[in-house]
Amino acid sequence: MTNVFADDCLAGGTYLVTGASSGIGRATALLIAACGGRVIGSGRDEGRLAGLKDALPGTGHVVSAQALRDADTVTDWVKGLVEAHGPLSGVFHGAGVELIKPARMTRQSDLDNVLAGSLYAGFGIARAVSQKNTMVDAGSVVLMSSVAGATGQVGMTAYSAAKAAVEGLVRSLSCELAARAIRVNAIAAGAVETAMHARLTRGSGEAATAEYARSHLLGFGAADDVANAAVFLLSGASRWITGSVMAVDGGYMVR
Ligand SMILES: NC(=O)c1ccc[n+]([C@@H]2O[C@H](COP(=O)([O-])OP(=O)(O)OC[C@H]3O[C@@H](n4cnc5c(N)ncnc54)[C@H](OP(=O)(O)O)[C@@H]3O)[C@@H](O)[C@H]2O)c1
């Protein structure tokens, strides 16, 4: 029997990682490379992308600075990457922005901003990998969701709506791509200590942040905790898992 947990379990594959310039996406890109995969890392900040490229173990990795705005341009961008670098074995879609704003103050421009990076870009990726020769058969697509996709919180209407929509996309896309044995899954993360988390908790006092940590049975997570789950879902170890939303939340949602 093949050991799907071997050090080189992603060797020979090319993996597109969005949000690779920071946090969870960066940690996932580093772990993919450590498992032998070739990374196409994407984000908006060219300086941080260059830093990622230098940090990735192995050779052949590339970075592509791209602001993800709408499904059509994202589809074209992914197809361009495939023309240049070959078909993808997997995609980890980590790009996304947070928003804490009550519904009464949330404008169309806020919705556009929150939905662009996560849902519209996710849809553009979905369209691209649905087309011939863009993703290899038995490939894997992993999209970042959040506990906010299934739970409610004051000020999170737009963000929650975006992540719930991502989970809906995952369920139907998994049905469409199953004929090619391509798997599609989401990760619903709890609070993970990244730049996004720092921005979200910046205004909270020490007591409120401690209470927020306690709402997770295992406290706040680290980017590597999510990267480990992402690489599992990208690898052959999860070959019988599709259409699922995996909670990686330190026990937040059982409470
Ligand atoms: N941290 C948490 O507690 C947490 C919890 C649940 C879910 N999540 C989700 O996990 C994912 C990663 O979050 P993180 O904590 O790692 O955040 P982060 O450190 O702020 O990183 C976000 C990444 O997304 C990229 N990005 C955002 N909007 C983009 C756009 N429109 N086009 C292209 N790239 C864009 C950023 O690029 P640049 O920096 O280069 O601009 C950055 O690489 C997000 O989808 C987030 O919603 C996070």
Side-chain angles (χ1 to χ4, degrees):
M1 188 180 161
T2 315
N3 176 9
V4 289
F5 294 104
D7 281 353
D8 60 350
C9 63
L10 300 183
T14 299
Y15 296 83
L16 172 61
V17 179
T18 70
S21 54
S22 182
I24 292 167
R26 186 176 198 277
T28 301
L30 287 167
L31 188 56
I32 289 169
C35 293
R38 179 166 69 134
V39 171
I40 302 175
S42 160
R44 292 175 296 196
D45 187 303
E46 294 188 20
R48 278 190 270 116
L49 282 176
L52 169 73
K53 194 172 175 207
D54 289 344
L56 287 167
T59 55
H61 309 296
V62 291
V63 291
S64 169
Q66 180 75 19
L68 308 174
R69 288 201 183 93
D70 66 85
D72 291 354
T73 55
V74 170
T75 300
D76 291 344
W77 169 68
V78 175
K79 284 163 65 180
L81 290 174
V82 169
E83 269 169 39
H85 306 294
L88 304 171
S89 296
V91 178
F92 176 76
H93 178 42
V97 289
E98 74 284 3
L99 179 71
I100 298 283
K101 213 179 225 193
R104 69 175 188 283
M105 294 167 68
T106 300
R107 313 285 306 211
Q108 181 64 45
S109 56
D110 295 317
L111 290 175
D112 290 345
N113 193 36
V114 172
L115 292 170
S118 56
L119 180 66
Y120 298 161
F123 214 100
I125 290 166
R127 267 191 33 214
V129 300
S130 299
Q131 292 168 17
K132 263 196 173 162
N133 305 324
T134 303
M135 175 165 272
V136 301
D137 287 354
S140 173
V141 182
V142 181
L143 291 93
M144 270 314 291
S145 184
S146 160
V147 292
T151 62
Q153 210 172 303
V154 171
M156 295 285 258
T157 50
Y159 185 77
S160 290
K163 294 307 193 187
V166 163
E167 294 181 12
L169 168 63
V170 159
R171 283 187 278 271
S172 288
L173 186 64
S174 66
C175 299
E176 293 191 12
L177 299 185
R180 290 164 54 203
I182 292 174
R183 296 171 295 104
V184 186
N185 294 287
I187 294 174
V192 180
E193 292 183 303
T194 63
M196 180 183 287
H197 178 80
R199 290 190 296 272
L200 285 168
T201 53
R202 193 178 295 145
S204 316
E206 218 171 281
T209 304
E211 181 55 34
Y212 185 32
R214 274 195 298 276
S215 67
H216 298 68
L217 295 178
L218 303 177
F220 292 144
D224 284 346
D225 295 322
V226 182
N228 286 330
V231 167
F232 167 70
L233 288 172
L234 290 171
S235 77
S238 60
R239 63 180 285 275
W240 204 50
I241 301 175
T242 195
S244 77
V245 178
M246 178 189 279
V248 182
D249 66 353
Y252 179 88
M253 282 200 278
V254 298
R255 306 196 70 188

